[in-house]
Amino acid sequence: MDVRGDFIIVGSGIAGLRAAVELAPAGDIVIITKADPTESNTEYAQGGIAAAIGADDSPDLHASDTMIAGDGLCDERAVRVLCEEGPRYTR
């Protein structure tokens, strides 16, 4: 199969689709996705704020988990702010 476009987007989650919307006026877009386009992390995301509210939880644990899950792509300062400030927005 020969598919061509001006832009290639890997992933059909919310970020990939938002990128497609923004790029649409500039050219042809190819979106590469999993075998089932309805399967994305966006589908499984719960949304909300990173909040350590349990007795056995802490902002440091949340920050550590987020940094590991982000695989080097997260801005550590931003993660720290989110995890430290998040709990006050859950009430």
Side-chain angles (χ1 to χ4, degrees), residues 11-83:
S12 61
I14 194 77
L17 296 179
R18 184 68 190 139
V21 167
E22 291 295 318
L23 289 169
D28 294 325
I29 300 164
V30 174
I31 299 175
I32 299 171
T33 190
K34 298 173 185 168
D36 182 354
T38 63
E39 283 287 315
S40 72
N41 289 332
T42 301
E43 178 70 23
Y44 297 108
Q46 295 175 2
I49 297 171
I53 57 175
D56 62 343
D57 205 354
S58 74
D60 285 336
L61 289 173
H62 265 322
S64 177
D65 287 346
T66 300
M67 294 301 295
I68 291 167
D71 197 27
L73 299 175
C74 298
D75 179 314
E76 187 170 359
R77 289 179 298 169
V79 168
R80 290 257 167 229
V81 168
L82 177 69
C83 293

